[in-house]
Amino acid sequence: MSHRCFPAGRALLAAALLSTLASSPASAAAMRMYAFGNEIYLCQSRTWTRDGASTPSGYFDVVSAYANEFDLGLLPPGPNGDSPNFDRVDLQCWVRDRLTLGYKPKAGERSYSIRLPRNDAFWERHDPDELDPVRSLPRDGTVITLFLHAVGDAASPAHLEIRRAFAVSPASDDPKLSGDYDLVHVPRLMPD
């Protein structure tokens, strides 16, 4: 029997597509994260609404083989697919390896963070039917997928980058709610 190895990028894309197709429509907004290659992270998020309330995710592992999906909280859609209550998502990640996978962060341990406010260019997607970019904010029924990559030494990177991001709305047939984010400027999670 022949054993063929798939290139890492091909396997990563296959895993992402399978998990996206296998998901069932959820009522709340959600996020999935993958790591490139053999990188491993422990991350947490906090979603803020415009009234100052927040939803923490707790800790979740980020690896290349599978994604942990976590809840961004209730973000009811408004007119024209807007997400009127959404204010921002804060992400914080710690580098892990196979031996420390799942370990909670220690006091003073180096972490990497990014804040993605509603007016950030990160949330813009190109729609061929529109002249201007389309803003695609997290809202109930959507899943935002991110791919993280370490820049520099994987054990102690200079920073982490979001190399690819896309939105999927399994609960809607509206193409404006799904698709790749443009990422004109690659978002970076910087050391704290």
Side-chain angles (χ1 to χ4, degrees), residues 4-59:
R4 296 182 65 183
C5 294
F6 291 100
R10 194 185 234 175
L12 183 62
L13 182 59
L17 292 174
L18 285 174
S19 70
T20 300
L21 294 173
S23 69
S24 58
S27 59
M31 187 173 279
R32 289 187 190 123
M33 294 176 70
Y34 292 91
F36 275 101
N38 293 322
E39 298 166 22
I40 301 172
Y41 308 105
L42 177 74
C43 297
Q44 67 178 9
S45 77
R46 183 171 292 271
T47 306
W48 294 86
T49 55
R50 292 177 121 181
D51 63 3
S54 67
T55 303
S57 69
Y59 297 103

Side-chain angles (χ1 to χ4, degrees), residues 2 4 10 19 25 34 43 65 95 107 123 128 137-139 142 145 151 170 174-175 185 189:
S2 170
R4 296 182 65 183
R10 194 185 234 175
S19 70
Y34 292 91
C43 297
V95 175
W123 302 111
L137 299 170
R139 67 186 61 81
T142 61
T145 301
V151 174
D174 185 350
H185 301 288
L189 284 80

Side-chain angles (χ1 to χ4, degrees), residues 9-175:
R10 194 185 234 175
L12 183 62
L13 182 59
L17 292 174
L18 285 174
S19 70
T20 300
L21 294 173
S23 69
S24 58
S27 59
M31 187 173 279
R32 289 187 190 123
M33 294 176 70
Y34 292 91
F36 275 101
N38 293 322
E39 298 166 22
I40 301 172
Y41 308 105
L42 177 74
C43 297
Q44 67 178 9
S45 77
R46 183 171 292 271
T47 306
W48 294 86
T49 55
R50 292 177 121 181
D51 63 3
S54 67
T55 303
S57 69
Y59 297 103
F60 53 93
D61 297 319
V62 178
V63 298
S64 63
Y66 63 90
N68 280 322
E69 185 171 302
F70 55 94
D71 189 4
L72 291 177
L74 294 174
L75 297 169
N80 302 321
D82 189 18
S83 185
N85 293 342
F86 174 73
D87 185 57
R88 73 178 192 258
V89 172
D90 296 336
L91 293 174
Q92 185 175 20
C93 297
W94 295 264
V95 175
R96 291 290 179 259
D97 58 31
R98 296 195 187 288
L99 298 176
T100 59
L101 180 65
Y103 279 63
K104 301 244 184 326
K106 298 175 189 170
E109 184 178 354
R110 185 179 192 184
S111 66
Y112 301 82
S113 299
I114 190 169
R115 176 168 285 173
L116 297 169
R118 73 178 288 118
N119 61 350
D120 196 287
F122 172 82
W123 302 111
E124 293 178 356
R125 295 186 308 98
H126 176 72
D127 184 332
D129 296 333
E130 302 287 335
L131 293 176
D132 296 320
V134 174
R135 187 161 296 277
S136 185
L137 299 170
R139 67 186 61 81
D140 290 355
T142 61
V143 178
I144 309 298
T145 301
L146 306 179
F147 292 83
L148 293 182
H149 177 65
V151 174
D153 176 24
S156 184
H159 62 270
L160 307 179
E161 292 183 345
I162 300 174
R163 287 287 182 90
R164 181 168 184 226
F166 59 90
V168 176
S169 182
S172 172
D173 292 333
D174 185 350

